[in-house]
Amino acid sequence: MRFTSVGLLLAAACGGTSGRPFAPKKTTFVPSTKTLLAENVTTLASGGAGGAVTEQIQVISEMPELVEQDAPLIADIQMLSDMLSEVVKKENKQVYELYTQFRKLGMDRAANPDNAEAPFEAMKKLAHDISPSDTLGVMKTFSIALNLVNAAEVHHRMRLVRNADLASSQQDIGPLPMVEDSIRGTMAILLEEDGASPEQIFDKLCSQSCEIVLTAHPTEVNRKTIIRKYRNISELLSLLERPNLHPFERAEGLSNLRGIIAAIWGSDEIRRVKPTVQKEAAGGNAVIESVLWDAVPSYLRKLDAQCRVTLGKKLPVETAPIKFASWIGGDRDGNPNCTPEVTLEVVTHQRLRAAKLFLNELNVLYSELAISKRFSKELEELADQVKDSDDKREKYRRVIGHLRKRLVRTVKDCESQLNQIHDSIHFTSAEHAFGALQGWEDVEPIITKDELMDPLKVIYNSLVETGFELVADGHVSDIIRRVAVFGLTLVPLDIREESTRHTLALDAITRHLGIGSYKEWDESARLNWLQSELTTKRPLFRIGEIVQNTIGLDPDVRKTLMVYKVASELDSESLGAYVISQANTASDVLAVMLLQKQFGMTVDSGKLMRVVPLFETLNDLKNSPEQLETLFRTTSYVGSINGKQEVMVGYSDSAKDAGRLAACWAQYTAQEAMTKVAKKYGVELTFFHGKGGTVGRGGNPALYRAILSHPPNTINGRFRVTEQGEMIRQNFGDLEIAQRSLDIYTAALLREAFIKRVEPKQEWRDEMERVSEVSCNSYRHTVREDPRFVPYFRQATPELELGKLNIGSRPAKRNPKGGVESLRAIPWTFAWAQTRMHLSAWLGVGDGLSPSDEKDKALLREMYEEWPWFREIISLISMLISKTDFSITQHYDDLLVDPKLMSLGDEVREKLVQTRRAVIDISGQTEISGPHVQLMRASSQIRNPYVDSINVVQAEILRVLRGMPEDGSPDLTPESEEIKAIRNDALLLSISGIAMGMKNSG
């Protein structure tokens, strides 16, 4: 059954994905060419695939129409929409009527794409005539409506996975869903199609390592308190779906939903103050504490059960194929607010939170393990070491009680350290939170993970050996798994700093020593000096000289060096990698090694941080193999890395530097070449992928396929990747969704270890070199060489206004006085997404994919059909093109752009048509629509009725605001100032609404 009611379809406003039943013998990772072409025809002709995709299995937005299984989602959205309308109508009937008019016009436009001009013109007139206060109310309503759609979709995603699994025969039901991108589906493929043995699969699973690094990149536009309310809505939708729900419980659930929506309407959704780094870190910790703390052991229990069912093997209790790290509090690149003191505070706070969380768990375990007989010899010996305890016969409790005291001591020590830090938050004392545990002053704090893990494993093994295996597999196992994943630091903190900061620091030191200017030395001179200093025992300076600044260092130089001072005093488990942004030479890496040595961070001290160069521009990527070669020839360096090297690949800045296609090819070839260099020197290489949530910043919503499409032999069971901003909420903001995300990462990494990769032919490589060069030249010609571009960009998008969002602690630019080149990749992408141009994801692509030679065209089609990596890139570009809208971008130009610059907007839109035509041609589709209709409007009957309206109003808000006097101007009357403030709030809500509607921001 299909739904043909336009009203229901439009009310759905949904994007994202759902699960589909999976048949192992019929599923392969790469669909047949015929299937792919058929999907592309549907996509390009009807606006099906390529919407706001956020998962990996069959997605609603990949279907031409909603189908029967989506009826519950439609019902949920309709219910939530009605509840919102009730609240708005009661509060402000005028706003309600305007919202209804805008939405109806949006629906008319979506339902009749060939006759969309009339409703669009009516929409523009309505936006022009609306009052400032009504504008604010309408934008607030649309923003909430789209957030409600997202909340309903979160619930629906898991509903479909669960329903598909329950629809299977009884014997096919397992702990994890039977879909391709689940560990269960992947195991089935490996066993039945790839011929892998259970032993091979189990060994790979136990040895693989995926580390997800949480970052505070400013793309989460919603406040934390608002996010929590939308999460509660998803949970209530799950509650209301429970079978045999009592009528009173249902009524209560509906009442709670209405209450939450009313509370959201009454809340201020706008951040009035820019968050501090500490608050950003607290937000990251909140995701761990409120979701991942429970999601991780829950998923690992299911993974263990799936291993037993499918492989006949039990997963070792301490195995952790997924781990987490963080940049929040350590990412200093371009953020003057991330000081050494802030880093110390964040790390100490994380240790405090971890200690309190584990103390809670041990309190529960203490009450559970009142066992007074049958202990292993090892447990008896461990219990005998605890001298002061009232638990004489209950020896598990004796050991646990001692660990509790040690954790209280850890909490007290952390609180004491935080109280000494200037402006630190005051925390609840341990006695108040947990009750007094006498004797904590007489024990040592727990510092390392092993200090907690070792006694817990003794308890676990004792329970297993003495017939209490069911008890061992309960809470004890969960705590062990939490220790394995989170340790005593919650998440290890990476440090990131720009390479020039280290250059300036060493330059100040060499000048102080009277040996010249390090900054002015060439690469050869720097390398010679660095290698010499790395092998000598003589320090370059006394640490006290830096702390007291007796040598007159510049404040910024001293701040750079004090980071090492702080890091050297932290325990080694608190810190992860030291990432060097804008790294382009081997000396950039050796400089950090030398600075660590000066502060006692060496292999011998156990505090040496692994140094990770981040290659992020086109030239840096191309030169990266040569830099690794230089490093691996340096004896002092190789002797310090224990045969392991990590390299970070920058996706955001490389795409901003050279355009999408050139960046993708440079990333591919650089990883290939670096892998060969590492193999030559016997070094185990791990790539750290710095991807954003959007395609323009290297993101790929189809995560499973994305991991499988990496260059061959570059993952090898080791994968490190960033998750940022709104993507953290989308992937880890809910217990079920978080487990699903963990499952996808685990499954993809396992599948990648066995999959037979397509090695690109030489003619494909040659063609990619041509495509890369042409697309890069085209992209740079527009962005760098055309004098119209920068003023056009700033007039046609809300780039200048994005800074008012207060969505991150760091500035939007590395250099406040710089142009587009100094603009961070996030606001660069964010600004283009707002106007539905998405230029950062496709500019230059059309030229690269439009060769004049028919042989090249035929070769591109062959590459699309036979090379998964290339096909994935084209599919992602196709998805982004589907979100563009000619009429919307033209409307921004008409209202905001100087007439002298409007020709550039027309040229850019012509390039968009060329890109669309090229994508259609390569994928085998022949129909080409005109340039003034929406392209591949994947959500034309779904989200766009909402987003179109917000775009039209936003353009009008920008026009009016830019015509008003500047703040502080004598021409700005008190009345005008009040109106300006209202319009600014409406603008911020419009930005938030579009981000929610497009399901991405930066």
Side-chain angles (χ1 to χ4, degrees):
M1 183 181 83
R2 288 191 175 92
F3 294 95
T4 57
S5 166
V6 172
L8 283 178
L9 282 169
L10 299 180
C14 63
T17 63
S18 57
R20 67 176 176 219
F22 172 67
K25 292 187 177 181
K26 296 181 181 179
T27 302
T28 56
F29 165 62
V30 181
S32 67
T33 301
K34 182 178 179 181
T35 301
L36 284 164
L37 293 178
E39 288 176 354
N40 240 299
V41 170
T42 303
T43 295
L44 294 164
S46 68
V53 186
T54 55
E55 278 246 357
Q56 293 66 47
I57 37 188
Q58 182 65 42
V59 301
I60 294 166
S61 58
E62 283 182 350
M63 303 176 189
E65 300 178 57
L66 296 176
V67 293
E68 186 174 7
Q69 64 179 349
D70 302 313
L73 172 63
I74 293 173
D76 285 344
I77 293 174
Q78 191 65 57
M79 177 181 67
L80 295 174
S81 179
D82 289 346
M83 289 179 176
L84 174 62
S85 295
E86 289 172 12
V87 171
V88 177
K89 188 175 183 180
K90 183 178 180 181
E91 178 78 17
N92 190 322
K93 190 173 182 180
Q94 175 71 8
V95 167
Y96 164 76
E97 290 176 351
L98 286 167
Y99 165 70
T100 303
Q101 289 179 59
F102 271 115
R103 194 172 70 155
K104 183 180 183 304
L105 290 169
M107 290 177 176
D108 291 344
R109 183 171 187 253
N112 303 285
D114 295 329
N115 189 27
E117 187 174 347
F120 191 57
E121 289 300 318
M123 202 183 292
K124 289 192 285 186
K125 185 178 187 309
L126 193 60
H128 181 272
D129 296 340
I130 192 171
S131 71
S133 59
D134 287 344
T135 301
L136 178 61
V138 170
M139 289 299 93
K140 185 181 182 73
T141 307
F142 271 114
S143 180
I144 294 172
L146 284 164
N147 270 294
L148 291 174
V149 167
N150 291 346
E153 187 204 2
V154 165
H155 169 56
H156 189 59
R157 284 163 64 185
M158 295 315 302
R159 169 200 281 141
L160 288 176
V161 172
R162 196 181 306 111
N163 288 350
D165 206 30
L166 292 175
S168 305
S169 59
Q170 191 67 33
Q171 62 268 27
D172 287 338
I173 295 178
L176 294 168
M178 181 56 98
V179 289
E180 180 182 358
D181 57 354
S182 169
I183 201 73
R184 183 181 174 199
T186 292
M187 285 180 176
I189 292 175
L190 294 176
L191 289 168
E192 299 189 27
E193 293 188 10
D194 293 356
S197 69
E199 291 75 18
Q200 290 173 318
I201 296 172
F202 186 75
D203 290 345
K204 287 290 185 183
L205 178 62
C206 290
S207 63
Q208 72 183 42
S209 173
C210 178
E211 188 169 46
I212 299 164
V213 183
L214 309 179
T215 77
H217 284 163
T219 57
E220 176 53 79
V221 294
N222 280 317
R223 294 175 60 199
K224 189 166 64 175
T225 53
I226 301 297
I227 290 171
R228 193 176 299 116
K229 287 182 171 65
Y230 288 119
R231 184 190 302 162
N232 290 342
I233 288 172
S234 295
E235 292 169 353
L236 279 170
L237 290 175
S238 296
L239 171 70
L240 291 171
E241 204 171 52
R242 273 173 41 191
N244 302 320
L245 190 68
H246 191 279
F248 176 77
E249 291 176 316
R250 177 172 179 78
E252 190 175 45
L254 291 170
S255 177
N256 289 338
L257 270 180
R258 290 188 179 91
I260 293 173
I261 292 172
I264 292 172
W265 172 258
S267 301
D268 186 357
E269 294 186 88
I270 299 169
R271 282 196 182 101
R272 300 296 175 183
V273 180
K274 207 170 180 66
T276 63
V277 177
Q278 294 95 320
K279 286 189 176 180
E280 288 177 330
N285 291 346
V287 172
I288 296 171
E289 294 182 46
S290 63
V291 180
L292 291 174
W293 190 257
D294 292 323
V296 165
S298 179
Y299 171 66
L300 291 176
R301 279 198 305 274
K302 294 174 183 176
L303 181 62
D304 174 39
Q306 196 64 62
C307 286
R308 299 189 198 200
V309 170
T310 306
L311 305 178
K313 292 178 177 290
K314 175 178 167 55
L315 192 72
V317 69
E318 71 275 14
T319 297
I322 296 278
K323 293 188 177 181
F324 293 87
S326 175
W327 275 13
I328 315 175
D331 186 3
R332 294 172 38 76
D333 179 19
N335 190 350
N337 301 309
C338 188
T339 64
E341 293 77 17
V342 166
T343 298
L344 175 61
E345 180 176 344
V346 168
V347 169
T348 308
H349 187 204
Q350 287 176 177
R351 178 171 286 279
L352 172 69
R353 297 307 307 157
K356 285 187 172 183
L357 286 167
F358 279 119
L359 187 50
N360 272 331
E361 300 299 334
L362 289 186
N363 285 339
V364 175
L365 190 62
Y366 182 88
S367 67
E368 289 180 355
L369 291 187
I371 296 173
S372 58
K373 59 182 179 180
R374 302 210 313 260
F375 307 104
S376 70
K377 181 180 179 183
E378 193 177 9
L379 190 283
E380 295 266 15
E381 293 172 352
L382 184 61
D384 288 344
Q385 295 174 21
V386 180
K387 302 302 180 185
D388 185 15
S389 172
D390 293 333
D391 298 305
K392 304 301 181 183
R393 299 178 64 245
E394 297 166 343
K395 298 191 176 182
Y396 290 119
R397 283 187 163 187
R398 188 180 184 90
V399 174
I400 295 167
H402 183 66
L403 291 174
R404 291 164 71 202
K405 289 181 182 180
R406 293 190 65 189
L407 284 171
V408 170
R409 174 62 186 269
T410 307
V411 168
K412 299 296 287 184
D413 285 0
C414 290
E415 289 176 342
S416 177
Q417 292 171 35
L418 287 167
N419 285 331
Q420 295 174 20
I421 298 174
H422 180 63
D423 289 336
S424 180
I425 303 169
H426 291 282
F427 302 97
T428 307
S429 69
E431 289 93 346
H432 178 76
F434 304 108
L437 280 171
Q438 298 299 320
W440 63 264
E441 305 95 332
D442 303 323
V443 300
E444 293 297 317
I446 297 179
I447 303 298
T448 68
K449 178 168 66 176
D450 287 346
E451 291 178 65
L452 185 56
M453 178 69 87
D454 289 346
L456 286 172
K457 286 178 69 176
V458 171
I459 292 171
Y460 175 86
N461 291 334
S462 175
L463 289 167
V464 172
E465 290 174 20
T466 56
F468 293 105
E469 187 169 0
L470 289 175
V471 178
D473 284 339
H475 201 187
V476 179
S477 293
D478 284 352
I479 299 175
I480 289 174
R481 287 167 178 145
R482 288 184 175 109
V483 175
V485 173
F486 301 111
L488 263 294
T489 62
L490 214 58
V491 279
L493 189 70
D494 283 4
I495 304 292
R496 183 169 76 140
E497 183 58 280
E498 187 184 348
S499 60
T500 54
R501 295 289 182 179
H502 309 129
T503 299
L504 292 173
L506 288 176
D507 185 70
I509 291 167
T510 56
R511 286 178 180 274
H512 173 70
L513 296 174
I515 58 175
S517 171
Y518 178 85
K519 184 173 66 173
E520 296 175 3
W521 294 345
D522 61 20
E523 178 66 4
S524 177
R526 290 184 182 183
L527 287 172
N528 288 334
W529 181 74
L530 289 166
Q531 291 175 47
S532 173
E533 290 300 326
L534 281 168
T535 57
T536 183
K537 294 183 179 181
R538 171 183 51 80
L540 289 171
F541 50 79
R542 294 184 179 89
I543 294 177
E545 293 177 328
I546 306 299
V547 175
Q548 303 300 324
N549 200 13
T550 57
I551 57 178
L553 294 173
D554 176 86
D556 285 339
V557 168
R558 180 180 176 275
K559 190 185 292 185
T560 299
L561 294 173
M562 285 300 293
V563 171
Y564 293 88
K565 171 74 164 51
V566 167
S568 69
E569 295 172 350
L570 294 170
D571 64 280
S572 58
E573 291 183 4
S574 292
L575 299 173
Y578 194 111
V579 180
I580 310 167
S581 59
Q582 299 187 40
N584 49 55
T585 63
S587 65
D588 289 334
V589 176
L590 296 183
V592 173
M593 294 293 288
L594 179 59
L595 289 173
Q596 286 197 83
K597 174 177 173 286
Q598 297 306 306
F599 286 88
M601 300 169 67
T602 64
V603 174
D604 293 339
S605 70
K607 293 193 173 185
L608 180 69
M609 295 179 69
R610 63 187 190 276
V611 182
V612 180
L614 166 52
F615 299 116
E616 46 193 333
T617 67
L618 195 64
N619 285 337
D620 291 346
L621 285 166
K622 289 181 176 178
N623 295 331
S624 58
E626 179 185 345
Q627 307 314 320
L628 283 194
E629 185 99 29
T630 301
L631 288 171
F632 296 159
R633 288 202 304 262
T634 304
T635 305
S636 57
Y637 179 76
V638 173
S640 300
I641 63 174
N642 193 30
K644 297 179 181 180
Q645 176 67 52
E646 185 175 319
V647 170
M648 187 169 183
V649 178
Y651 291 74
S652 306
D653 284 284
S654 58
K656 179 171 159 285
D657 172 45
R660 174 71 177 161
L661 283 180
C664 285
W665 184 235
Q667 292 150 12
Y668 188 100
T669 54
Q671 289 178 70
E672 276 188 322
M674 284 190 279
T675 298
K676 291 177 181 177
V677 171
K679 185 176 181 181
K680 173 182 174 182
Y681 289 93
V683 175
E684 181 183 283
L685 184 61
T686 298
F687 285 110
F688 179 11
H689 303 276
K691 300 186 179 186
T694 59
V695 175
R697 298 193 56 242
N700 186 333
L703 175 63
Y704 188 84
R705 297 196 312 267
I707 291 177
L708 298 187
S709 66
H710 275 75
N713 307 312
T714 59
I715 292 183
N716 301 314
R718 301 180 300 277
F719 193 72
R720 203 166 191 252
V721 66
T722 55
E723 283 277 14
Q724 67 172 48
E726 86 283 358
M727 299 310 297
I728 295 175
R729 176 160 69 106
Q730 286 186 31
N731 293 334
F732 301 107
D734 172 86
L735 185 64
E736 283 191 293
I737 294 294
Q739 292 182 66
R740 182 78 183 99
S741 298
L742 296 173
D743 192 25
I744 293 167
Y745 270 114
T746 306
L749 210 55
L750 179 63
R751 180 85 171 100
E752 197 279 336
F754 290 91
I755 195 169
K756 294 177 181 178
R757 311 301 294 277
V758 174
E759 292 281 354
K761 303 174 184 177
Q762 186 56 49
E763 54 263 41
W764 296 354
R765 292 180 179 274
D766 295 340
E767 182 63 15
M768 277 309 304
E769 290 293 338
R770 184 200 65 77
V771 168
S772 176
E773 182 178 359
V774 172
S775 65
C776 180
N777 290 339
S778 173
Y779 175 89
R780 287 179 172 175
H781 175 75
T782 300
V783 174
R784 293 187 180 185
E785 299 169 17
D786 194 321
R788 299 171 296 169
F789 184 78
V790 172
Y792 172 77
F793 168 56
R794 290 188 169 147
Q795 290 179 33
T797 75
E799 182 258 326
L800 294 174
E801 288 81 5
L802 290 177
K804 298 175 182 177
L805 266 178
N806 292 322
I807 57 175
S809 66
R810 71 181 186 179
K813 289 185 177 181
R814 289 183 169 95
N815 176 9
K817 297 181 180 179
V820 171
E821 75 285 348
S822 68
L823 189 70
R824 291 188 176 279
I826 295 166
W828 165 251
T829 302
F830 201 163
W832 289 116
Q834 285 287 303
T835 65
R836 310 279 283 283
M837 178 69 83
H838 297 286
L839 175 141
S840 58
W842 59 260
L843 184 62
V845 170
D847 287 300
L849 298 182
S850 303
S852 57
D853 192 326
E854 288 299 322
K855 290 183 179 179
D856 286 327
K857 290 183 180 179
L859 192 57
L860 287 169
R861 293 188 191 107
E862 177 186 302
M863 291 160 62
Y864 178 84
E865 292 176 8
E866 299 180 16
W867 190 8
W869 175 83
F870 184 70
R871 181 167 53 247
E872 191 68 18
I873 289 173
I874 299 303
S875 297
L876 286 169
I877 292 169
S878 175
M879 183 265 283
L880 254 296
I881 294 174
S882 78
K883 294 185 178 184
T884 60
D885 189 306
F886 266 80
S887 301
I888 295 291
T889 61
Q890 180 71 60
H891 182 55
Y892 278 86
D893 283 9
D894 291 343
L895 291 188
L896 305 173
V897 175
D898 187 319
K900 297 177 182 178
L901 301 173
M902 292 187 70
S903 59
L904 179 59
D906 294 334
E907 292 168 23
V908 167
R909 279 182 286 276
E910 287 174 8
K911 287 181 178 291
L912 179 55
V913 173
Q914 177 196 29
T915 303
R916 175 183 179 271
R917 189 176 290 123
V919 168
I920 287 174
D921 186 47
I922 288 172
S923 62
Q925 167 68 350
T926 57
E927 181 182 351
I928 300 176
S929 301
H932 298 294
V933 299
Q934 289 93 19
L935 303 178
M936 280 178 53
R937 293 197 55 177
S939 299
S940 61
Q941 293 182 313
I942 302 173
R943 289 178 179 271
N944 286 2
Y946 296 84
V947 183
D948 289 357
S949 300
I950 303 176
N951 276 125
V952 171
V953 176
Q954 184 188 83
E956 185 65 33
I957 296 170
L958 287 169
R959 182 190 69 80
V960 174
L961 282 175
R962 290 177 183 179
M964 297 185 78
E966 294 288 334
D967 291 343
S969 168
D971 297 331
L972 189 66
T973 65
E975 182 182 1
S976 296
E977 187 173 10
E978 183 179 350
I979 291 173
K980 188 174 183 181
I982 293 171
R983 289 199 180 275
N984 269 318
D985 282 356
L987 174 63
L988 300 183
L989 287 172
S990 75
I991 292 172
S992 171
I994 293 169
M996 290 302 101
M998 303 307 292
K999 294 283 304 234
N1000 57 47
S1001 47

